[in-house]
Amino acid sequence: MNQFDEVKLLGTRFHKLKVYQLIDYIVKSAKLEKKTTVSNVNVRGMNYACKLPWYREFLNKSDLVFCDGFGVLLGAKICGCQINSSHRMTCPDYIENLALACERENVSLFLLAGKPGIVDKAITKLKRIAPNLIIEGHHGYFDKSGKENELVIQKINEFKPDVLYIGFGMPMQENWIRQNIDTIEAKVFLPLGACLDFYTGAVYRGPGWMTDNGLEWLTRFFTEPQRLWERYVVGNPLFFSRVFLQLLKKRFQKRVRATSRY
């Protein structure tokens, strides 16, 4: 079903697609009698993939992986990939279009994310623009193992969602999916991080001109410097150093191959 071109960066692959194609893929997958995982990558995800083998495997085995970060776009361009800003999408920008598509196609949606109260606000907001949307939810602040985890999965299975949105943050959400996917009765598994926090206004993203031009991270850093300094001050340079090392390695290998012909 997935016929999108792949981009390989730092040993991790993602797909070239636009937001309308992503929404269409999710809705169509929700009608199939199989489980589908739709993941995403940003700079933080790429860094996790470099140090956690299971995380890289999770991304590389996902049915579809979309780009959710300008840094990843830039890294791919540096390595010679033909890619542009239309191939990057972030959930708060398209969640209402996804909800409308789910309503139109009678696809149910379960939100599993955020602090208590965030899901309720998100559902209320989504129902305003998609009043016939079949939607349920539960907060993400629960023990991810043991009895409490079993009760949350029981609630999900009673609803039997076509699309299950999981927002615990990387890499917890991906690890939770791989540990529980076999026992969860859902069609599409969609890890999307802090989307609902941004969508409900619980966390400030920054002005549109910044979020549209790859500077959302700057707003987030100055909003929560103590929590996010390592992610951006350390993580961004680390990612680009890895990209440049990969580029140098490719150029060196190309030169060796060229000289070996003579």
Side-chain angles (χ1 to χ4, degrees), residues 63-97:
D63 298 277
L64 184 76
V65 184
F66 66 91
C67 178
D68 180 18
F70 276 101
V72 174
L73 285 185
L74 181 55
K77 285 182 180 180
I78 290 170
C79 291
C81 298
Q82 299 299 311
I83 197 166
N84 58 58
S85 59
S86 70
H87 297 122
R88 173 258 183 186
M89 58 216 71
T90 187
C91 180
D93 295 332
Y94 68 78
I95 189 171
E96 290 189 347
N97 288 332

mmCIF file of all heavy atoms in Angstrom, residues 63-97:
data_model
loop_
_atom_site.group_PDB
_atom_site.id
_atom_site.type_symbol
_atom_site.label_atom_id
_atom_site.label_comp_id
_atom_site.label_asym_id
_atom_site.label_seq_id
_atom_site.Cartn_x
_atom_site.Cartn_y
_atom_site.Cartn_z
ATOM 1 N N ASP A 63 5.187 0.991 8.994
ATOM 2 C CA ASP A 63 4.617 0.952 7.648
ATOM 3 C C ASP A 63 4.826 2.271 6.910
ATOM 4 O O ASP A 63 5.014 2.284 5.692
ATOM 5 C CB ASP A 63 3.126 0.634 7.726
ATOM 6 C CG ASP A 63 2.880 -0.726 8.348
ATOM 7 O OD1 ASP A 63 2.968 -1.727 7.618
ATOM 8 O OD2 ASP A 63 2.619 -0.799 9.567
ATOM 9 N N LEU A 64 4.804 3.369 7.651
ATOM 10 C CA LEU A 64 5.035 4.689 7.068
ATOM 11 C C LEU A 64 5.714 5.552 8.112
ATOM 12 O O LEU A 64 5.387 5.478 9.300
ATOM 13 C CB LEU A 64 3.708 5.335 6.642
ATOM 14 C CG LEU A 64 3.835 6.682 5.926
ATOM 15 C CD1 LEU A 64 4.297 6.475 4.481
ATOM 16 C CD2 LEU A 64 2.504 7.435 5.931
ATOM 17 N N VAL A 65 6.684 6.356 7.671
ATOM 18 C CA VAL A 65 7.377 7.289 8.564
ATOM 19 C C VAL A 65 7.404 8.640 7.875
ATOM 20 O O VAL A 65 7.942 8.772 6.781
ATOM 21 C CB VAL A 65 8.810 6.830 8.876
ATOM 22 C CG1 VAL A 65 9.461 7.786 9.886
ATOM 23 C CG2 VAL A 65 8.828 5.406 9.413
ATOM 24 N N PHE A 66 6.806 9.644 8.512
ATOM 25 C CA PHE A 66 6.821 10.979 7.917
ATOM 26 C C PHE A 66 7.770 11.892 8.677
ATOM 27 O O PHE A 66 8.145 11.618 9.818
ATOM 28 C CB PHE A 66 5.410 11.571 7.845
ATOM 29 C CG PHE A 66 4.779 11.865 9.192
ATOM 30 C CD1 PHE A 66 4.923 13.099 9.797
ATOM 31 C CD2 PHE A 66 4.009 10.897 9.834
ATOM 32 C CE1 PHE A 66 4.330 13.375 11.028
ATOM 33 C CE2 PHE A 66 3.413 11.158 11.056
ATOM 34 C CZ PHE A 66 3.573 12.402 11.661
ATOM 35 N N CYS A 67 8.167 12.966 8.029
ATOM 36 C CA CYS A 67 9.124 13.909 8.611
ATOM 37 C C CYS A 67 8.392 14.988 9.401
ATOM 38 O O CYS A 67 7.504 15.660 8.882
ATOM 39 C CB CYS A 67 9.966 14.538 7.512
ATOM 40 S SG CYS A 67 11.146 15.767 8.131
ATOM 41 N N ASP A 68 8.784 15.166 10.654
ATOM 42 C CA ASP A 68 8.182 16.172 11.526
ATOM 43 C C ASP A 68 9.272 17.083 12.087
ATOM 44 O O ASP A 68 9.345 17.324 13.280
ATOM 45 C CB ASP A 68 7.408 15.493 12.658
ATOM 46 C CG ASP A 68 6.751 16.488 13.596
ATOM 47 O OD1 ASP A 68 6.600 17.659 13.208
ATOM 48 O OD2 ASP A 68 6.403 16.101 14.730
ATOM 49 N N GLY A 69 10.163 17.567 11.217
ATOM 50 C CA GLY A 69 11.214 18.442 11.702
ATOM 51 C C GLY A 69 12.022 19.062 10.579
ATOM 52 O O GLY A 69 12.482 18.348 9.685
ATOM 53 N N PHE A 70 12.188 20.383 10.630
ATOM 54 C CA PHE A 70 12.974 21.062 9.604
ATOM 55 C C PHE A 70 14.441 20.640 9.652
ATOM 56 O O PHE A 70 15.126 20.645 8.633
ATOM 57 C CB PHE A 70 12.865 22.585 9.771
ATOM 58 C CG PHE A 70 11.647 23.167 9.122
ATOM 59 C CD1 PHE A 70 10.536 23.496 9.874
ATOM 60 C CD2 PHE A 70 11.604 23.396 7.753
ATOM 61 C CE1 PHE A 70 9.405 24.034 9.281
ATOM 62 C CE2 PHE A 70 10.489 23.922 7.143
ATOM 63 C CZ PHE A 70 9.375 24.245 7.906
ATOM 64 N N GLY A 71 14.919 20.284 10.850
ATOM 65 C CA GLY A 71 16.310 19.849 10.973
ATOM 66 C C GLY A 71 16.580 18.602 10.158
ATOM 67 O O GLY A 71 17.629 18.474 9.517
ATOM 68 N N VAL A 72 15.622 17.661 10.164
ATOM 69 C CA VAL A 72 15.767 16.433 9.382
ATOM 70 C C VAL A 72 15.733 16.749 7.889
ATOM 71 O O VAL A 72 16.509 16.181 7.107
ATOM 72 C CB VAL A 72 14.667 15.416 9.756
ATOM 73 C CG1 VAL A 72 14.719 14.202 8.836
ATOM 74 C CG2 VAL A 72 14.839 14.975 11.204
ATOM 75 N N LEU A 73 14.854 17.679 7.481
ATOM 76 C CA LEU A 73 14.829 18.111 6.077
ATOM 77 C C LEU A 73 16.177 18.673 5.658
ATOM 78 O O LEU A 73 16.708 18.345 4.594
ATOM 79 C CB LEU A 73 13.753 19.184 5.857
ATOM 80 C CG LEU A 73 12.290 18.774 5.807
ATOM 81 C CD1 LEU A 73 11.432 19.989 5.468
ATOM 82 C CD2 LEU A 73 12.048 17.670 4.791
ATOM 83 N N LEU A 74 16.725 19.544 6.506
ATOM 84 C CA LEU A 74 18.015 20.156 6.191
ATOM 85 C C LEU A 74 19.111 19.108 6.127
ATOM 86 O O LEU A 74 19.961 19.128 5.219
ATOM 87 C CB LEU A 74 18.352 21.223 7.241
ATOM 88 C CG LEU A 74 19.666 21.987 7.052
ATOM 89 C CD1 LEU A 74 19.732 22.637 5.679
ATOM 90 C CD2 LEU A 74 19.840 23.030 8.156
ATOM 91 N N GLY A 75 19.115 18.165 7.067
ATOM 92 C CA GLY A 75 20.106 17.098 7.064
ATOM 93 C C GLY A 75 20.023 16.264 5.798
ATOM 94 O O GLY A 75 21.048 15.897 5.207
ATOM 95 N N ALA A 76 18.790 15.970 5.357
ATOM 96 C CA ALA A 76 18.604 15.190 4.134
ATOM 97 C C ALA A 76 19.095 15.965 2.914
ATOM 98 O O ALA A 76 19.704 15.401 2.001
ATOM 99 C CB ALA A 76 17.139 14.816 3.976
ATOM 100 N N LYS A 77 18.835 17.285 2.889
ATOM 101 C CA LYS A 77 19.302 18.124 1.780
ATOM 102 C C LYS A 77 20.829 18.162 1.726
ATOM 103 O O LYS A 77 21.432 18.092 0.653
ATOM 104 C CB LYS A 77 18.754 19.546 1.920
ATOM 105 C CG LYS A 77 17.293 19.694 1.565
ATOM 106 C CD LYS A 77 16.864 21.152 1.693
ATOM 107 C CE LYS A 77 15.407 21.349 1.338
ATOM 108 N NZ LYS A 77 14.997 22.768 1.468
ATOM 109 N N ILE A 78 21.457 18.276 2.890
ATOM 110 C CA ILE A 78 22.923 18.301 2.969
ATOM 111 C C ILE A 78 23.497 17.031 2.344
ATOM 112 O O ILE A 78 24.539 17.064 1.683
ATOM 113 C CB ILE A 78 23.387 18.458 4.434
ATOM 114 C CG1 ILE A 78 23.064 19.875 4.941
ATOM 115 C CG2 ILE A 78 24.879 18.170 4.572
ATOM 116 C CD1 ILE A 78 23.267 20.053 6.432
ATOM 117 N N CYS A 79 22.784 15.926 2.533
ATOM 118 C CA CYS A 79 23.250 14.641 1.994
ATOM 119 C C CYS A 79 22.800 14.401 0.555
ATOM 120 O O CYS A 79 22.964 13.295 0.025
ATOM 121 C CB CYS A 79 22.771 13.509 2.897
ATOM 122 S SG CYS A 79 23.592 13.495 4.515
ATOM 123 N N GLY A 80 22.223 15.424 -0.070
ATOM 124 C CA GLY A 80 21.896 15.338 -1.494
ATOM 125 C C GLY A 80 20.504 14.864 -1.839
ATOM 126 O O GLY A 80 20.209 14.613 -3.010
ATOM 127 N N CYS A 81 19.622 14.746 -0.851
ATOM 128 C CA CYS A 81 18.261 14.286 -1.126
ATOM 129 C C CYS A 81 17.414 15.424 -1.697
ATOM 130 O O CYS A 81 17.540 16.571 -1.269
ATOM 131 C CB CYS A 81 17.607 13.759 0.145
ATOM 132 S SG CYS A 81 18.446 12.343 0.867
ATOM 133 N N GLN A 82 16.555 15.096 -2.652
ATOM 134 C CA GLN A 82 15.640 16.066 -3.236
ATOM 135 C C GLN A 82 14.374 16.111 -2.374
ATOM 136 O O GLN A 82 13.482 15.286 -2.502
ATOM 137 C CB GLN A 82 15.293 15.670 -4.673
ATOM 138 C CG GLN A 82 16.491 15.623 -5.610
ATOM 139 C CD GLN A 82 17.174 16.978 -5.730
ATOM 140 O OE1 GLN A 82 16.531 17.996 -5.951
ATOM 141 N NE2 GLN A 82 18.495 16.976 -5.582
ATOM 142 N N ILE A 83 14.318 17.080 -1.481
ATOM 143 C CA ILE A 83 13.225 17.165 -0.524
ATOM 144 C C ILE A 83 12.995 18.630 -0.190
ATOM 145 O O ILE A 83 13.928 19.440 -0.250
ATOM 146 C CB ILE A 83 13.554 16.332 0.736
ATOM 147 C CG1 ILE A 83 12.310 16.049 1.554
ATOM 148 C CG2 ILE A 83 14.658 16.961 1.565
ATOM 149 C CD1 ILE A 83 12.507 14.965 2.605
ATOM 150 N N ASN A 84 11.772 18.993 0.144
ATOM 151 C CA ASN A 84 11.486 20.395 0.459
ATOM 152 C C ASN A 84 10.522 20.513 1.630
ATOM 153 O O ASN A 84 10.083 19.496 2.193
ATOM 154 C CB ASN A 84 10.936 21.121 -0.779
ATOM 155 C CG ASN A 84 9.680 20.469 -1.319
ATOM 156 O OD1 ASN A 84 8.683 20.339 -0.608
ATOM 157 N ND2 ASN A 84 9.720 20.046 -2.584
ATOM 158 N N SER A 85 10.170 21.739 2.000
ATOM 159 C CA SER A 85 9.370 21.982 3.199
ATOM 160 C C SER A 85 7.978 21.372 3.137
ATOM 161 O O SER A 85 7.353 21.135 4.174
ATOM 162 C CB SER A 85 9.257 23.486 3.460
ATOM 163 O OG SER A 85 8.660 24.148 2.372
ATOM 164 N N SER A 86 7.466 21.090 1.928
ATOM 165 C CA SER A 86 6.142 20.469 1.822
ATOM 166 C C SER A 86 6.167 19.012 2.281
ATOM 167 O O SER A 86 5.115 18.415 2.498
ATOM 168 C CB SER A 86 5.633 20.543 0.379
ATOM 169 O OG SER A 86 6.370 19.696 -0.477
ATOM 170 N N HIS A 87 7.361 18.456 2.440
ATOM 171 C CA HIS A 87 7.497 17.075 2.901
ATOM 172 C C HIS A 87 7.664 16.992 4.416
ATOM 173 O O HIS A 87 7.969 15.925 4.952
ATOM 174 C CB HIS A 87 8.695 16.412 2.216
ATOM 175 C CG HIS A 87 8.547 16.318 0.736
ATOM 176 N ND1 HIS A 87 9.448 16.873 -0.142
ATOM 177 C CD2 HIS A 87 7.574 15.763 -0.035
ATOM 178 C CE1 HIS A 87 9.054 16.640 -1.381
ATOM 179 N NE2 HIS A 87 7.928 15.972 -1.346
ATOM 180 N N ARG A 88 7.471 18.104 5.088
ATOM 181 C CA ARG A 88 7.526 18.126 6.549
ATOM 182 C C ARG A 88 6.159 18.536 7.082
ATOM 183 O O ARG A 88 5.515 19.439 6.559
ATOM 184 C CB ARG A 88 8.598 19.107 7.017
ATOM 185 C CG ARG A 88 8.632 19.328 8.536
ATOM 186 C CD ARG A 88 7.961 20.636 8.907
ATOM 187 N NE ARG A 88 8.030 20.914 10.332
ATOM 188 C CZ ARG A 88 7.411 21.943 10.908
ATOM 189 N NH1 ARG A 88 6.709 22.794 10.187
ATOM 190 N NH2 ARG A 88 7.500 22.127 12.204
ATOM 191 N N MET A 89 5.680 17.841 8.098
ATOM 192 C CA MET A 89 4.376 18.157 8.678
ATOM 193 C C MET A 89 4.410 17.888 10.166
ATOM 194 O O MET A 89 5.111 17.002 10.641
ATOM 195 C CB MET A 89 3.279 17.341 8.011
ATOM 196 C CG MET A 89 3.483 15.845 8.092
ATOM 197 S SD MET A 89 2.931 14.946 6.623
ATOM 198 C CE MET A 89 4.173 15.423 5.420
ATOM 199 N N THR A 90 3.668 18.699 10.925
ATOM 200 C CA THR A 90 3.616 18.510 12.368
ATOM 201 C C THR A 90 2.156 18.468 12.808
ATOM 202 O O THR A 90 1.317 19.236 12.320
ATOM 203 C CB THR A 90 4.401 19.625 13.095
ATOM 204 O OG1 THR A 90 4.482 19.325 14.477
ATOM 205 C CG2 THR A 90 3.775 20.991 12.887
ATOM 206 N N CYS A 91 1.836 17.580 13.697
ATOM 207 C CA CYS A 91 0.461 17.212 14.016
ATOM 208 C C CYS A 91 -0.480 18.376 14.358
ATOM 209 O O CYS A 91 -1.616 18.387 13.871
ATOM 210 C CB CYS A 91 0.457 16.191 15.142
ATOM 211 S SG CYS A 91 -1.195 15.659 15.638
ATOM 212 N N PRO A 92 -0.100 19.349 15.186
ATOM 213 C CA PRO A 92 -1.058 20.417 15.497
ATOM 214 C C PRO A 92 -1.571 21.161 14.263
ATOM 215 O O PRO A 92 -2.659 21.732 14.297
ATOM 216 C CB PRO A 92 -0.244 21.361 16.405
ATOM 217 C CG PRO A 92 0.823 20.506 16.980
ATOM 218 C CD PRO A 92 1.168 19.515 15.918
ATOM 219 N N ASP A 93 -0.785 21.133 13.179
ATOM 220 C CA ASP A 93 -1.187 21.832 11.953
ATOM 221 C C ASP A 93 -2.225 21.063 11.150
ATOM 222 O O ASP A 93 -2.944 21.648 10.341
ATOM 223 C CB ASP A 93 0.040 22.099 11.067
ATOM 224 C CG ASP A 93 1.030 23.057 11.713
ATOM 225 O OD1 ASP A 93 0.585 23.899 12.521
ATOM 226 O OD2 ASP A 93 2.235 22.960 11.419
ATOM 227 N N TYR A 94 -2.297 19.734 11.332
ATOM 228 C CA TYR A 94 -3.216 18.960 10.494
ATOM 229 C C TYR A 94 -4.214 18.115 11.275
ATOM 230 O O TYR A 94 -5.028 17.410 10.683
ATOM 231 C CB TYR A 94 -2.437 18.058 9.525
ATOM 232 C CG TYR A 94 -1.667 16.920 10.175
ATOM 233 C CD1 TYR A 94 -2.311 15.768 10.608
ATOM 234 C CD2 TYR A 94 -0.288 17.002 10.343
ATOM 235 C CE1 TYR A 94 -1.616 14.731 11.200
ATOM 236 C CE2 TYR A 94 0.418 15.971 10.938
ATOM 237 C CZ TYR A 94 -0.251 14.836 11.359
ATOM 238 O OH TYR A 94 0.446 13.816 11.948
ATOM 239 N N ILE A 95 -4.198 18.186 12.603
ATOM 240 C CA ILE A 95 -5.060 17.304 13.389
ATOM 241 C C ILE A 95 -6.538 17.533 13.101
ATOM 242 O O ILE A 95 -7.338 16.591 13.073
ATOM 243 C CB ILE A 95 -4.766 17.429 14.906
ATOM 244 C CG1 ILE A 95 -5.526 16.331 15.669
ATOM 245 C CG2 ILE A 95 -5.074 18.823 15.427
ATOM 246 C CD1 ILE A 95 -5.152 16.216 17.133
ATOM 247 N N GLU A 96 -6.934 18.769 12.816
ATOM 248 C CA GLU A 96 -8.341 19.026 12.501
ATOM 249 C C GLU A 96 -8.712 18.464 11.136
ATOM 250 O O GLU A 96 -9.816 17.942 10.957
ATOM 251 C CB GLU A 96 -8.635 20.525 12.584
ATOM 252 C CG GLU A 96 -8.588 21.050 14.022
ATOM 253 C CD GLU A 96 -9.084 22.473 14.149
ATOM 254 O OE1 GLU A 96 -9.230 23.155 13.111
ATOM 255 O OE2 GLU A 96 -9.334 22.911 15.297
ATOM 256 N N ASN A 97 -7.797 18.549 10.172
ATOM 257 C CA ASN A 97 -8.058 17.934 8.862
ATOM 258 C C ASN A 97 -8.151 16.412 8.979
ATOM 259 O O ASN A 97 -8.951 15.771 8.284
ATOM 260 C CB ASN A 97 -6.970 18.323 7.867
ATOM 261 C CG ASN A 97 -7.072 19.772 7.440
ATOM 262 O OD1 ASN A 97 -8.157 20.349 7.439
ATOM 263 N ND2 ASN A 97 -5.955 20.376 7.077
#
